[in-house]
């Protein structure tokens, strides 16, 4: 069975602080995909990143960075120099390959991030 | 760039009524997924379609049905609505690809359904 765990329910930091959102996943698939989505108060789900299980390279995109470690089944997300506009619920998610029954996305329970001015 | 379109954006229904939600995928995307997100919950997979055929089924109630049409848009039909059906319903689409790789699912803005 596939499972995504986001142990941090809520995080609150002061603007300009760095913050890391943790994500741990479980899967028996050898090929799988990991995602992060952002859900601002307006409700839409915004795609941030996709990683496949064969690519453990860390990625940086502006103030965002992601650390994928297969050895610990973790896919953590760090925001550097946080801003008020980063306030949202962040979902870590997992899926299998397209042509398997596991192509659906399994979401974690989400981490509500609040950035205080 | 074109995004996934969902209509209506908001819907209010009474218990036992029916509702139809529509989803228009990004052009050239052949796969559509439906998710339900209850208040304070994470999105839960309902059903998906690939090339107009149902490809996977999740925790979709028997009162719900869905289909994908020849133009790839999809409709989620909900009957005998219950209070617990109040939720945000997302449609997502992904492009066709070969080799079995999983493409990114791009989500629409959602339809907020309120059942009174």
């Amino acid at each position: 069975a596939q499972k995504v765990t986001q142990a941090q329910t809520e995080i609150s930091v002061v603007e300009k602080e760095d913050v890391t959102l943790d994500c741990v996943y479980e899967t028996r698939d050898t090929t799988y995909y990991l995602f992060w989505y952002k859900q601002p108060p307006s409700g839409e789900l915004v795609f941030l990143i996709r990683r496949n299980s064969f690519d453990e390279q860390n990625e940086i995109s502006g103030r965002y960075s992601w650390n994928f470690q297969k050895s610990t089944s973790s896919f953590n997300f760090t925001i550097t120099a946080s801003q008020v506009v980063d306030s949202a619920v962040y979902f870590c998610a997992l899926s299998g390959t397209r042509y398997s029954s596991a192509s659906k996305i399994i979401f974690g329970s989400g981490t509500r991030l609040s950035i205080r001015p | 760039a074109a995004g996934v379109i969902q209509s209506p954006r908001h819907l209010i229904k009474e218990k036992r009524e029916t509702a139809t939600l529509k989803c228009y995928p990004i052009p050239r995307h052949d796969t559509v997924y439906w998710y339900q997100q209850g208040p304070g919950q994470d999105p839960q997979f309902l059903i998906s379609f690939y090339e107009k055929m149902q490809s996977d089924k999740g925790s979709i109630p028997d009162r719900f049905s869905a289909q994908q049409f020849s133009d790839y848009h999809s409709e989620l039909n909900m009957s005998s609505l219950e209070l617990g059906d109040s939720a945000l319903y997302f449609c997502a689409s992904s492009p066709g690809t070969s080799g079995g790789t999983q493409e990114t699912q791009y989500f629409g803005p959602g339809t907020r359904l309120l059942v009174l």
Side-chain angles (χ1 to χ4, degrees), chain B residues 25-115:
Chain B
I26 293 171
R28 292 181 295 283
H29 283 197
D30 60 3
T31 305
V32 168
Y33 303 80
W34 286 96
Y35 294 82
Q36 177 193 56
Q37 185 179 25
Q41 305 293 314
D42 55 284
Q44 295 289 316
F45 171 73
L46 292 178
I47 195 168
S48 62
F49 294 88
Y50 166 62
E51 281 292 343
K52 292 154 279 185
M53 299 287 289
Q54 180 181 308
S55 56
D56 197 5
K57 197 171 180 180
S59 50
I60 183 170
D62 291 341
R63 299 176 288 107
F64 294 6
S65 65
Q67 58 181 325
Q68 185 179 33
F69 295 85
S70 57
D71 64 350
Y72 295 102
H73 93 272
S74 177
E75 295 184 0
L76 177 66
N77 299 294
M78 311 160 71
S79 62
S80 302
L81 286 170
E82 302 174 356
L83 297 179
D85 296 329
S86 296
L88 190 53
Y89 290 83
F90 287 106
C91 170
S93 74
S94 66
T97 184
S98 60
T101 59
Q102 170 69 313
E103 293 294 335
T104 298
Q105 293 180 27
Y106 293 92
F107 284 77
T111 293
R112 195 172 293 277
L113 172 66
L114 178 61
V115 181

